[in-house]
Amino acid sequence: LFLLKVAEMNKIWHSGTTLTVSGYTVGQLMTLGGQTKDGKDATNPVTYLMLQSANRLVLHDPPMSLRVHQGTPADLWEAAIETTKRCGGVPTFENDDVIIPALMGRGMSLESARNYCLIGCVEPGGTGNEWPACGGSGGEAYWNMPMAILHAINDGHNPMPDRYGNKSEERTGAHTGYLYEMETFDDVLKAVKIQYKFFLNWQMSMVNMFELVAREHMAQPLVSAMMDGCMESGKDVMEGGAEYNSCGVPGVGIGNAVDSLAVIKYMCYDKKLCTTREFYDAMMSNWTGEHEQLRQYILNEVPRYGNDEAYSDEWASWLLNLFADIVVSFENIRGCKFAPGLYPVATNVLWGLLSPATPDGRHTHDPLSDGISAVQQLDKNGPTAVFKSVCTIPQERFSNGTLLNMKFHPTALNNEKGQAKLKDLLQTYFKMGGMEVQLNIVSGDTLRAAQENPDEYRDLVVRVAGFSAYFVELFKNCQDDLIRRTELEL
């Protein structure tokens, strides 16, 4: 009854917001499991009741996250996997062994970090003592990583035409030159650094300006009255009165950005399979027509992120360390460092609609990659290779949260042996430094059938990003993106 009451509440989205948060969710995430402030396992009967209720009702709201650690009971692992099999992506799995040190890294005490909860999607925050502004101001939250790389090799210009097909001559980024003027790959990396610093400076500046205005017009007296630190400091949460403060900057399109660097290096500088001018012209032509053969080579022959390929994976470490270094170098007006994150909600679909072709062979308007996952269908070496690739990202640096979506075919979990394998796989990933993972146990055939006959699949719950939803209530572009995700086996 409690879950049904929470699920009754609904937030009416603006049409634009619907493109980033498809489906219906009130966002009141419930955190289960984890540890007490003194480090003991916090599992209790309510932990199981929540999972069992979601399982029986096939209910995606309220969203749930399960904190796991070395002392998590085997029965709880079993209950969580059983629930996510039936109720797609409920719960997410969050790794205490990475998240607690990450929160301490942004200033929390050990006791407060052990008592963290997940907020909204996958964002760790203090419980009752932190104002984390996980998504920044909301308007300037999600940061398009491959778009900054495009600016780096296009002299700071956005090549995306307007609705009438016209391209702007106005430079929107920093002056870095064009790809065909860059003699070495180091020149490319230098241009990427300049654009990342340029646009992230804008990002943090806009968030701070919003907060400066919002603190005068959007005070939060009810929250402040219940937040540790505000009564003591005499300040509203919007003025930094909470005991702890942070402000999130989530990056989007990680797979496309990493692959873009690997592809440019491989094609133009290492193998010299085309000139930088030929590559640039093909990308600006949306990889169509005579350039399709080049695109197919890029898609099928260049080592790609998500396959345990050192050639591409090293750029995940390089690029995301760069992103984290820049983000934490800025201070929020509430007196805290900005916190980097890697999750999209569903902005990877919307940002894809608004993004031109990218160096990794992606066409204009196609969705960007999801979370820290590889580009859709280009992770071809199985789940262990995916884990090894994403663990080249220093996830402990991303205290605003990371998000890894994985889709397994149902036959992978049709017996106890399959479920044991999945548990072992997740526990190994967490020992390797993974922060979070969330699962869909569903086949592409089932999702395509649900598109064709929605009335027959009204209770099909799927994990979209930091939230789950009924598949038939998603807009079609989001449905198609779920279908395109790689089906994994155990």
Side-chain angles (χ1 to χ4, degrees):
L1 289 175
F2 172 67
L3 261 63
L4 286 169
K5 180 56 66 176
V6 174
E8 281 183 4
M9 295 180 280
N10 197 12
K11 195 182 292 185
I12 305 301
W13 299 112
H14 180 275
S15 59
T17 307
T18 301
L19 296 175
T20 62
V21 188
S22 186
Y24 298 95
T25 177
V26 74
Q28 295 195 113
L29 195 154
M30 307 289 180
T31 302
L32 313 179
Q35 303 174 54
T36 60
K37 291 182 180 181
D38 57 0
K40 297 178 181 177
D41 178 61
T43 306
N44 59 61
V46 179
T47 313
Y48 293 95
L49 290 173
M50 295 285 282
L51 293 172
Q52 290 164 358
S53 296
N55 191 318
R56 285 197 297 265
L57 296 170
V58 197
L59 196 64
H60 65 81
D61 245 0
M64 297 181 195
S65 288
L66 178 65
R67 289 177 45 184
V68 297
H69 55 96
Q70 294 181 15
T72 297
D75 287 348
L76 184 55
W77 274 102
E78 180 182 355
I81 291 173
E82 281 293 333
T83 302
T84 205
K85 279 172 58 180
R86 178 163 167 76
C87 195
V90 179
T92 67
F93 295 84
E94 311 284 341
N95 183 10
D96 277 7
D97 296 333
V98 171
I99 294 174
I100 290 172
L103 291 176
M104 292 175 67
R106 74 184 194 206
M108 279 192 188
S109 67
L110 174 60
E111 291 75 17
S112 291
R114 282 173 173 164
N115 197 39
Y116 79 89
C117 63
L118 285 306
I119 299 171
C121 294
V122 295
E123 303 98 299
T127 301
N129 62 357
E130 183 181 30
W131 188 246
C134 297
S137 68
E140 286 76 39
Y142 303 98
W143 201 75
N144 189 332
M145 286 193 165
M147 184 63 95
I149 294 176
L150 268 176
H151 279 74
I153 60 175
N154 198 41
D155 198 27
H157 292 276
N158 181 356
M160 188 72 175
D162 63 21
R163 68 181 68 181
Y164 306 108
N166 301 314
K167 292 187 178 181
S168 173
E169 297 298 321
E170 183 179 356
R171 183 181 287 119
T172 50
H175 171 50
T176 49
Y178 294 93
L179 177 63
Y180 50 82
E181 299 171 336
M182 300 175 184
E183 296 183 0
T184 68
F185 188 62
D186 283 342
D187 293 335
V188 176
L189 298 181
K190 180 180 177 181
V192 170
K193 286 183 180 180
I194 291 171
Q195 297 294 355
Y196 266 53
K197 289 178 180 177
F198 179 89
F199 283 109
L200 284 167
N201 179 60
W202 270 105
Q203 180 92 359
M204 264 65 90
S205 297
M206 294 298 292
V207 171
N208 275 338
M209 283 191 279
F210 175 92
E211 285 205 29
L212 191 62
V213 175
R215 66 165 53 171
E216 297 183 21
H217 299 279
M218 296 174 63
Q220 306 290 331
L222 183 60
V223 171
S224 299
M226 296 184 287
M227 184 72 69
D228 290 353
C230 290
M231 294 294 284
E232 293 84 349
S233 65
K235 294 181 180 179
D236 187 271
V237 290
M238 297 293 285
E239 295 184 353
E243 182 178 356
Y244 299 108
N245 289 274
S246 65
C247 192
V249 182
V252 178
I254 289 88
N256 302 102
V258 171
D259 280 352
S260 290
L261 293 179
V263 167
I264 292 172
K265 185 175 188 289
Y266 187 94
M267 297 296 294
C268 300
Y269 296 100
D270 285 355
K271 300 297 183 180
K272 302 186 189 304
L273 297 170
C274 59
T275 67
T276 50
R277 184 74 210 208
E278 289 169 340
F279 186 95
Y280 175 88
D281 289 344
M283 184 183 67
M284 290 299 170
S285 299
N286 195 25
W287 303 107
T288 57
E290 62 180 334
H291 306 296
E292 177 61 24
Q293 186 175 355
L294 181 61
R295 176 176 178 268
Q296 287 302 318
Y297 189 93
I298 289 170
L299 293 178
N300 294 292
E301 301 298 331
V302 179
R304 306 297 288 244
Y305 168 73
N307 293 287
D308 188 23
E309 295 275 6
Y311 189 92
S312 52
D313 291 351
E314 71 169 303
W315 302 112
S317 177
W318 183 88
L319 188 67
L320 296 172
N321 270 309
L322 171 67
F323 177 69
D325 286 344
I326 298 171
V327 170
V328 300
S329 71
F330 286 87
E331 188 169 297
N332 180 268
I333 63 168
R334 284 178 283 114
C336 58
K337 298 291 186 182
F338 280 89
L342 301 172
Y343 56 88
V345 186
T347 52
N348 66 303
V349 179
L350 176 61
W351 275 194
L353 287 170
L354 301 174
S355 297
T358 44
D360 62 321
R362 179 191 145 274
H363 280 140
T364 302
H365 303 311
D366 281 354
L368 300 178
S369 59
D370 170 65
I372 61 173
S373 303
V375 173
Q376 297 86 332
Q377 297 185 3
L378 292 185
D379 46 339
K380 300 177 180 180
N381 292 342
T384 54
V386 171
F387 284 156
K388 291 182 76 174
S389 284
V390 300
C391 282
T392 60
I393 299 171
Q395 295 188 43
E396 72 282 354
R397 298 198 65 188
F398 293 87
S399 65
N400 188 222
T402 68
L403 181 153
L404 175 62
N405 261 317
M406 304 186 81
K407 183 171 77 175
F408 287 91
H409 193 281
T411 55
L413 295 175
N414 59 6
N415 54 46
E416 291 185 6
K417 187 176 180 180
Q419 293 184 44
K421 284 183 180 180
L422 180 61
K423 175 187 171 184
D424 289 344
L425 191 70
L426 298 181
Q427 289 181 329
T428 301
Y429 173 58
F430 289 153
K431 288 178 183 177
M432 293 167 62
M435 179 178 283
E436 186 269 2
V437 67
Q438 50 197 42
L439 309 171
N440 273 311
I441 315 297
V442 65
S443 70
D445 289 340
T446 297
L447 298 180
R448 282 185 282 271
Q451 270 189 327
E452 294 294 325
N453 303 290
D455 287 342
E456 297 178 19
Y457 294 87
R458 297 188 66 83
D459 64 347
L460 176 59
V461 176
V462 292
R463 170 61 58 167
V464 181
F467 65 99
S468 294
Y470 291 115
F471 180 79
V472 299
E473 293 179 348
L474 303 174
F475 67 95
K476 187 175 184 300
N477 284 21
C478 190
Q479 291 180 339
D480 291 340
D481 187 54
L482 285 163
I483 292 171
R484 274 193 294 265
R485 291 179 188 172
T486 306
E487 267 180 40
L488 299 166
E489 299 285 350
L490 288 172

